[in-house]
Amino acid sequence: MAEHLTPRAQEIAAAARALLEESGPAALTMRTLADRLGIKAPSLYKHFPDKHAVEVELTAQLLAETAEVLEAAEARAPGSPEALAEAYRAYALAHPHLYCLATERPLPRAGLPAGLEDRAALPLLRTCAGDLDLARAVWAFAHGMVILEIHGRFPADADLDAAWKRGLKALHA
Amino acid sequence: MAEHLTPRAQEIAAAARALLEESGPAALTMRTLADRLGIKAPSLYKHFPDKHAVEVELTAQLLAETAEVLEAAEARAPGSPEALAEAYRAYALAHPHLYCLATERPLPRAGLPAGLEDRAALPLLRTCAGDLDLARAVWAFAHGMVILEIHGRFPADADLDAAWKRGLKALHA
DNA sequence: CCGATCTGGCTAACGCCGTTAGCCATGACG
DNA sequence: CGTCATGGCTAACGGCGTTAGCCAGATCGG
């Protein structure tokens, strides 16, 4: 979690996250969030300035957990793009609503813990041996695969494992 | 446009598109849409069953135009992934709000003209010589690059042209 | 020990949203 | 000439994020 938040604010963020992951972004409402905590909606504003701030906190959680997951994969199999990709995909698909919330809007850099964005990017950058352009291409590929899968954009019978393999092989030839 | 729509419905869709492209998805409201047409919001429901149906029509427009743009690029430079990519990127960045609206949710396949989804995919599939897995990987890469750029996810100083080149070169080695 | 202050609840309300119900003018058509 | 479809309208509902303003209880300095 985040130590820059009041304990009560952390509880609220946790409830918001549970709500989001269980029921999707449309269900993440100040009123239902308050309900889940046994309070009324206006009381939430004693802890967060507005709904956006709650979403920023959830975004920070996703970023931090992504960093952890990628660091763990790297530790397990250093230098393996496949391990990184598998970890990234598995984490994103395990938290699809959170992934979308955190990913499908401008990065609220101002509200994020310092260094978090870089930390999440580092494992991939290392695996790309410092090749920034390649790392960005791989990132775009991975994000594209995940987000298209989450939204059911691929044909139902598409072999996504094969597409992942094909893309990764080409990008790290 | 779409001939399955009433003329009046086409006018409404055109206004909706203008509204979306000028002012973003938050401004695409049944009330402001009606305002722009000089009518009241409830009257819109004589032409579309709900707001989602309007959005589906805009999604169909994006899909059709994407197909046109890709077909034109292919005609100009057959077999060139770079030409396809450049056309795709340029079109998406010229219509960022529309691209997001049409792209960041499940494909409403039921409400789309038959064959449109396939038509939009064909130029890339041909350029990939029928390799479905490769085509999907390239698609994911291109979508990832575009959507990350639209949302300002890359560092401000990132050289995106270079990342595009790098990714395309690898994917079509 | 007491008063001040802070914390974290509350109710009422505002203006927006999508949407529904029901009314009515116009004009086409048998 | 009556009937009916078309495409407007107003009024209203419930839900949204958010604000203003009130209040109980804890904390803490004098």
Side-chain angles (χ1 to χ4, degrees):
Chain A
M1 296 282 175
E3 61 293 339
H4 67 286
L5 288 184
T6 270
R8 187 52 168 153
Q10 290 185 33
E11 291 177 23
I12 293 174
R17 173 153 179 183
L19 194 53
L20 172 69
E21 299 219 35
E22 288 166 19
S23 314
L28 183 50
T29 277
M30 295 306 262
R31 284 174 168 88
T32 44
L33 174 55
D35 265 3
R36 177 178 280 247
L37 291 155
I39 62 178
K40 304 295 178 180
S43 303
L44 295 170
Y45 293 81
K46 300 286 178 161
H47 307 277
F48 289 91
D50 51 31
K51 187 186 178 185
H52 183 245
V54 178
E55 296 173 343
V56 168
E57 172 55 26
L58 297 187
T59 299
Q61 288 187 15
L62 175 118
L63 230 50
E65 291 169 21
T66 297
E68 287 168 24
V69 155
L70 293 184
E71 286 160 4
E74 195 188 12
R76 227 179 301 117
S80 161
E82 289 79 10
L84 242 44
E86 180 49 37
Y88 188 82
R89 182 185 182 193
Y91 175 75
L93 294 184
H95 309 275
H97 294 307
L98 179 61
Y99 188 87
C100 290
L101 179 79
T103 261
E104 293 186 327
R105 64 205 69 207
L107 238 204
R109 293 194 168 88
L112 259 31
L116 183 51
E117 186 182 2
D118 290 344
R119 186 186 152 211
L122 261 184
L124 176 59
L125 188 54
R126 276 192 294 261
T127 302
C128 289
D131 183 338
L132 265 172
D133 297 328
L134 177 60
R136 285 174 187 142
V138 174
W139 177 26
F141 166 71
H143 173 63
M145 287 297 299
V146 160
I147 204 75
L148 291 173
E149 179 173 6
I150 288 178
H151 286 138
R153 285 281 170 158
F154 290 113
D157 63 347
D159 183 349
L160 299 185
D161 284 337
W164 272 96
K165 271 206 190 77
R166 191 75 175 78
L168 285 177
K169 190 179 63 151
L171 286 163
H172 279 92
Chain B
M1 295 281 175
E3 61 293 341
H4 67 285
L5 288 184
T6 270
R8 186 54 167 152
Q10 289 186 33
E11 290 177 23
I12 293 174
R17 174 154 177 181
L19 194 52
L20 172 69
E21 299 219 36
E22 288 166 17
S23 314
L28 182 49
T29 278
M30 295 305 263
R31 284 174 168 87
T32 44
L33 174 55
D35 265 2
R36 176 178 280 249
L37 290 154
I39 63 179
K40 303 296 178 180
S43 303
L44 295 171
Y45 292 81
K46 300 285 178 164
H47 307 278
F48 288 92
D50 51 30
K51 187 186 179 184
H52 183 244
V54 178
E55 296 173 342
V56 169
E57 172 56 26
L58 297 187
T59 299
Q61 289 186 15
L62 175 119
L63 231 51
E65 291 169 21
T66 297
E68 287 168 24
V69 155
L70 293 184
E71 286 160 3
E74 195 188 11
R76 227 179 301 117
S80 160
E82 289 79 11
L84 242 45
E86 181 49 37
Y88 189 82
R89 182 186 182 193
Y91 175 75
L93 294 184
H95 308 274
H97 294 308
L98 179 61
Y99 188 87
C100 290
L101 179 80
T103 259
E104 293 186 328
R105 62 204 71 202
L107 236 205
R109 294 194 167 89
L112 258 32
L116 182 53
E117 186 182 1
D118 290 345
R119 187 186 152 212
L122 262 183
L124 176 58
L125 189 55
R126 276 192 294 261
T127 302
C128 289
D131 183 338
L132 266 172
D133 296 329
L134 177 60
R136 286 175 186 140
V138 174
W139 177 27
F141 165 71
H143 173 64
M145 286 297 300
V146 161
I147 204 74
L148 291 172
E149 180 173 5
I150 288 177
H151 286 138
R153 286 284 175 157
F154 291 113
D157 63 346
D159 182 349
L160 299 185
D161 284 337
W164 271 96
K165 272 207 190 77
R166 191 74 176 74
L168 285 177
K169 189 180 64 154
L171 286 163
H172 280 92

